[in-house]
Amino acid sequence: GSPQAHVDDTGPAPERNGGLVFMASTAVDTTAEEAETASDPQEEAPGLPRKVFRFFGNVGHRIVDNMSFVGEVLVEFLELDKHPYHREMEDLRKAQRKKKKVLQQQEEQKQAREAAEIASLEEAQSVDAAETDIR
């Protein structure tokens, strides 16, 4: 005969190792011929139909993958993933920022004019005071 694998009739026996329990695996009764036929089907010699199927499967996968990428790029380019009023909302925010900037510039100009007026008044007062001191 054919070589037989050892069969453990007692079932898996737990082994203790430092508090951890390991289960011993049980051997399965198989012959050498069964072991050869039970091998992975991918390891069998691929025939022409399998090669053709694998080729078209790979090509199909690549086509679908590239189409998906192109679709993502188009969605981003055409802004289809944004709210319908996204552009109007951005324009409104831009107008508000511009208006706020203009108001801030006007306020700064107003403060600069007031500071210049105060400085000129103080200068005039100091000149008047200096003239009265000289007399």
Side-chain angles (χ1 to χ4, degrees), residues 19-40:
L20 299 174
V21 177
F22 296 99
M23 300 296 286
S25 63
T26 58
V28 180
D29 224 2
T30 58
T31 63
E33 294 166 316
E34 290 174 3
E36 287 178 13
T37 58
S39 68
D40 191 11

Side-chain angles (χ1 to χ4, degrees), residues 44-56:
E44 295 177 13
L48 183 61
R50 176 169 284 177
K51 287 182 181 179
V52 170
F53 179 74
R54 187 177 299 147
F55 172 76
F56 284 115

